[in-house]
Amino acid sequence: MPVNIAVNVQSSIRICGSKTLYFDPWQIEDERFDADYVFITHEHYDHFSPDDIRKVLKPDGYLVIPESMSNMTGDITTIPGNHIISVRVGEKREIARLMVEVYPAYNQGKPFHIRRSGWVGYLVTMDAAKYYIAGDTDEIPEIKDIKCDAAFLPIGGTYTMDATAAAHLARCIHPKVVIPTHYGSIVGSPVDGDFFQGLLPRDIRCELLL
């Protein structure tokens, strides 16, 4: 099945195959109501935006959030309680026939994303393909052995790994395609994507969608 992938801004990602998945929807212009699943990596405003969640989630869609955020969904009143799924690092579970694995996302030596906050990245299997959405993270040991077809990696530095570290991680996990995120708006420069692409080996395809 053909897959359509878009990065709206920052880490606002849409993957459309047999299901439509959003990750950290932000600055969505129109009410779409097309999301079967919305995944949130952590609570910062550019990743957890209730207004944008309401714009994209179907009435019967699922909201997947870190367990540490389970008390933050009260104002998203359009979602049935049993369709709000809290997850924790290390879980591998099926959510309405979609396989989801939960990985840590945190900084090393920086105070912005602390390990004990329990914030996450996701490895989602849809249509026999594995998509890894790293969230806001540095190049941490727990994610260097991930096996995936497509990896969405932050490259902007400051709050996450920079392009050099992200390229090293890409070489470790060696996806078929890597899509850089989290640059060119709040942090990083629009040319960071080109720099990152130049650091990759030829057998890893890079798609610049920001």
Side-chain angles (χ1 to χ4, degrees):
M1 172 173 291
V3 175
N4 179 270
I5 296 174
V7 181
N8 180 45
V9 67
Q10 194 76 334
S11 298
S12 176
I13 297 161
R14 179 181 182 270
I15 304 173
C16 183
S18 60
K19 300 290 184 180
T20 298
L21 320 179
Y22 281 79
F23 298 84
D24 295 347
W26 187 48
Q27 294 189 2
I28 304 296
E29 292 185 1
D30 304 315
E31 292 183 336
R32 301 177 180 179
F33 308 121
D34 61 342
D36 296 291
Y37 302 82
V38 171
F39 294 85
I40 302 299
T41 62
H42 65 290
E43 64 186 56
H44 289 161
Y45 73 92
D46 53 330
H47 296 264
F48 176 59
S49 169
D51 286 343
D52 289 296
I53 293 170
R54 282 191 290 265
K55 286 181 181 178
V56 300
L57 193 63
K58 290 180 177 179
D60 60 348
Y62 289 83
L63 174 65
V64 184
I65 59 170
E67 188 176 63
S68 60
M69 295 177 60
S70 58
N71 63 342
M72 299 179 65
T73 60
D75 60 344
I76 312 177
T77 56
T78 56
I79 307 174
N82 63 345
H83 281 222
I84 300 176
I85 310 297
S86 61
V87 296
R88 67 179 70 177
V89 168
E91 276 193 299
K92 181 177 181 179
R93 62 189 292 185
E94 188 175 298
I95 301 174
R97 293 179 289 183
L98 188 75
M99 185 57 65
V100 178
E101 299 175 57
V102 186
Y103 283 85
Y106 62 87
N107 292 138
Q108 294 178 307
K110 295 181 285 193
F112 308 112
H113 305 88
I114 301 170
R115 185 175 185 175
R116 66 174 179 268
S117 296
W119 296 338
V120 304
Y122 296 98
L123 180 64
V124 177
T125 303
M126 179 174 64
D127 305 329
K130 291 182 177 290
Y131 301 90
Y132 172 54
I133 291 79
D136 278 13
T137 188
D138 285 334
E139 186 191 3
I140 56 176
E142 298 95 325
I143 61 177
K144 291 185 178 180
D145 294 324
I146 286 173
K147 303 301 180 187
C148 62
D149 297 287
F152 296 76
L153 304 181
I155 68 167
T158 307
Y159 304 108
T160 71
M161 60 185 131
D162 62 12
T164 301
H168 183 264
L169 176 60
R171 289 193 294 271
C172 289
I173 64 177
H174 215 278
K176 295 175 183 176
V177 60
V178 62
I179 298 167
T181 62
H182 209 276
Y183 71 98
S185 53
I186 294 176
V187 292
S189 164
V191 301
D192 288 345
D194 298 301
F195 177 66
F196 170 74
Q197 186 174 34
L199 297 174
L200 296 173
R202 292 183 178 179
D203 57 347
I204 297 179
R205 189 170 87 252
C206 181
E207 294 188 6
L208 302 179
L209 302 182
L210 275 175

